[in-house]
Amino acid sequence: MNSTYNFQYFQGNSLSDLFAQDLADASYGFILNYPATASWAAYPNTKKYFLQDGSSEATKTSFDKICQKEPWKNLAVLGDRIQAIVIVPPSKSLINYWREHLDFSDSSRLMMHCSTYLDDLSQSEHFDKLITLFPFDNLKPEKHAINSDTHYRLLSKVTLAELGVSCPKYKSYNLHDCRLEDIHLPEFPYLIKTSHGLSGEGTYIINNTSDLNYCLEEIRKYLDIKLLDTIIVSEFIKNEVQNYCVQFYVNKVGDITLIGTTSQLVTPEGNYLGGVIDYRHTNMGKFFEMIAAIGQYGSKQGYFGVIGFDVLETQDGQLYAIDANFRVNGSTPLCLQRHTLLNIGKEVAKYSSSYRMDGTLESILVSLKPELDRKDFIILSALERVKYGKIYTEIYAIVTGETIEEMRHVERKLQSKGLQWLA
């Protein structure tokens, strides 16, 4: 372990336990959904805090992901020390499962109408401050727990070089000051990224002219709909052997608590699929210098909360931070299972947002009851869908095991029962 720092693991298992140390000075709530820019959004982020969540209506991140599956995943591990704002209720079957297996408390959930919730929260006397994953154009600035301008800047990919850690070489370009055609591009391969891409959107790996033409077409679409100011052109890190997401919490006085490190599962195109964690044997010490630098930077900007940063490790052991997310991350609920699972001898776990199984959630809970009771399979979020008259359920979940081999065996057994992994 790194001798300069002595960071310790968080001892709880919920988001509200993490945040509790910083909630005494006001009444806080947690908005679990991201903003959106699609036509379905009652409060689109199209004025100031742009995000790139799809370059056309057909490719926008969907309502079910932003307002249902993603928020429910965090609601499952919220705990009862902070109240979360939910604009679409989970099913009774899912809530009953959480109550039995994740100690879920209904008191942590405040239902608000999706067509009025930001106006209501802006005027609310119940909440002084609201924790968000991303600043909202339509929530009063003073209601944001983190200064909204600061949070937006911290979430920008342009900020990476300011964090004091090793990262790929890159240049940023304000597209209002220069034309796309005038940007000097390096030799293939390289990356082009938009400033605030959501869930992998806005990151383009450029291996050839065809990739470049597609990327430029997408960027022009974003410019046409006025949802983009800045892009970066980044060095491509070669000889990668591992892709990590390192997560920690920094409190209001700058103290750091470890949450966990996952090995990320991504498609060849860079789209996020989930993560794998070894609770017992992951050495977070090699990231301590980076954790300290990023935590100190965020704290000086007035940030408190979860930080997750993505790190590539190369064949020669070099570490490069490629993204920093000043928010709860996709695999944070996986990391929070650390003590619960170690206490029952399960040292390895995999989180994925790409599981699916035929039938209703109620029928799945019956079919998989042995695995659910043993915590071989932990359901964080589930949404029933119908296609061609056939019911199926999309599932965000964790598969566990005493070893990586046993975890894979459990997943194969689940697949024999009908669970699909849509990688």
Side-chain angles (χ1 to χ4, degrees):
M1 297 289 279
N2 190 301
S3 59
T4 308
Y5 302 100
N6 188 29
F7 301 135
Q8 299 298 311
Y9 272 105
F10 172 60
Q11 294 301 306
N13 62 1
S14 72
L15 290 171
S16 61
D17 285 344
L18 260 180
F19 280 92
Q21 59 194 298
D22 291 316
L23 304 183
D25 62 328
S27 174
Y28 287 84
F30 193 163
I31 302 178
L32 294 183
N33 60 280
Y34 279 93
T37 67
S39 60
W40 53 257
Y43 298 99
N45 261 43
T46 54
K47 301 173 191 171
K48 185 176 184 181
Y49 303 125
F50 301 150
L51 74 164
Q52 293 83 51
D53 59 349
S55 60
S56 67
E57 282 299 318
T59 60
K60 296 285 188 190
T61 307
S62 59
F63 176 87
D64 62 277
K65 181 173 182 177
I66 286 184
C67 298
Q68 295 174 285
K69 292 182 289 188
E70 291 282 342
W72 296 346
K73 169 197 66 180
N74 290 329
L75 182 62
V77 298
L78 186 74
D80 58 6
R81 304 176 73 174
I82 185 172
Q83 203 166 33
I85 288 84
V86 180
I87 58 176
V88 183
S91 69
K92 289 182 179 179
S93 297
L94 185 58
I95 289 174
N96 289 338
Y97 164 80
W98 288 344
R99 283 192 186 122
E100 181 179 354
H101 295 274
L102 293 171
D103 299 322
F104 176 75
S105 169
D106 245 350
S107 65
S108 61
R109 174 173 59 117
L110 177 64
M111 288 302 311
M112 300 190 75
H113 200 282
C114 60
S115 65
T116 61
Y117 76 108
L118 289 182
D119 284 329
D120 295 340
L121 289 169
S122 290
Q123 305 302 323
S124 173
E125 295 182 2
H126 183 66
F127 295 113
D128 302 313
K129 297 287 184 180
L130 293 148
I131 297 163
T132 66
L133 302 172
F134 197 94
F136 286 83
D137 276 350
N138 296 284
L139 179 69
K140 282 185 177 178
E142 59 267 26
K143 285 286 188 177
H144 287 81
I146 308 300
N147 177 281
S148 49
D149 288 346
T150 299
H151 199 191
Y152 187 65
R153 189 172 60 79
L154 288 172
L155 289 167
S156 173
K157 291 176 174 59
V158 175
T159 305
L160 189 63
E162 298 177 17
L163 303 181
V165 296
S166 177
C167 66
K169 297 172 186 173
Y170 69 84
K171 289 186 178 180
S172 62
Y173 298 90
N174 186 312
L175 298 180
H176 302 297
D177 296 334
C178 70
R179 299 186 311 156
L180 276 174
E181 297 78 10
D182 295 334
I183 294 174
H184 176 71
L185 297 172
E187 293 183 4
F188 305 130
Y190 56 91
L191 287 90
I192 296 179
K193 299 182 180 183
T194 61
S195 61
H196 293 86
L198 181 64
S199 298
E201 173 67 29
T203 294
Y204 308 94
I205 301 172
I206 312 299
N207 288 304
N208 50 51
T209 302
S210 177
D211 290 340
L212 176 61
N213 289 339
Y214 174 78
C215 169
L216 295 178
E217 183 181 345
E218 287 292 290
I219 288 173
R220 289 189 182 100
K221 289 179 184 177
Y222 275 118
L223 289 172
D224 287 344
I225 58 177
K226 297 181 170 55
L227 287 178
L228 179 64
D229 291 326
T230 304
I231 62 168
I232 68 169
V233 178
S234 170
E235 171 190 15
F236 181 87
I237 301 299
K238 298 178 181 178
N239 301 316
E240 169 204 336
V241 294
Q242 193 58 266
N243 181 347
Y244 300 103
C245 180
V246 182
Q247 298 181 50
F248 64 96
Y249 185 95
V250 61
N251 69 12
K252 286 184 177 178
V253 296
D255 295 332
I256 287 170
T257 306
L258 305 179
I259 302 174
T261 294
T262 64
S263 297
Q264 301 211 90
L265 302 171
V266 295
T267 67
E269 298 76 31
N271 295 322
Y272 178 74
L273 291 173
V276 176
I277 192 166
D278 186 329
Y279 297 110
R280 186 79 71 191
H281 300 111
T282 299
N283 173 21
M284 288 191 72
K286 66 181 176 182
F287 305 115
F288 277 6
E289 296 283 348
M290 302 175 96
I291 290 170
I294 295 171
Q296 289 166 11
Y297 182 90
S299 184
K300 286 179 181 176
Q301 307 301 311
Y303 181 84
F304 71 93
V306 177
I307 301 174
F309 61 99
D310 298 340
V311 180
L312 295 184
E313 183 175 16
T314 61
Q315 288 177 351
D316 58 1
Q318 295 295 309
L319 300 174
Y320 296 90
I322 57 169
D323 202 4
N325 297 309
F326 288 77
R327 55 169 171 77
V328 172
N329 283 239
S331 58
T332 305
L334 170 67
C335 296
L336 290 175
Q337 304 306 307
R338 175 184 177 83
H339 302 294
T340 299
L341 292 176
L342 284 177
N343 285 340
I344 56 174
K346 294 180 180 293
E347 299 187 4
V348 181
K350 168 185 169 181
Y351 160 74
S352 177
S353 57
S354 301
Y355 290 119
R356 173 174 156 175
M357 192 164 173
D358 289 341
T360 64
L361 177 58
E362 193 68 44
S363 69
I364 292 167
L365 294 174
V366 172
S367 299
L368 303 184
K369 188 176 189 304
E371 290 80 11
L372 296 169
D373 287 345
R374 289 193 302 266
K375 291 195 185 302
D376 290 347
F377 194 57
I378 300 170
I379 297 174
L380 297 172
S381 187
L383 180 64
E384 294 172 0
R385 309 296 292 265
V386 178
K387 187 173 184 179
Y388 305 129
K390 189 175 182 180
I391 299 171
Y392 64 94
T393 302
E394 296 174 344
I395 302 170
Y396 288 20
I398 296 169
V399 178
T400 72
E402 294 179 13
T403 62
I404 189 80
E405 291 79 12
E406 188 196 281
M407 183 195 76
R408 287 171 178 157
H409 172 74
V410 168
E411 191 166 42
R412 286 194 297 270
K413 185 178 178 183
L414 289 164
Q415 288 169 343
S416 73
K417 287 190 166 189
L419 185 72
Q420 304 166 57
W421 185 45
L422 306 178

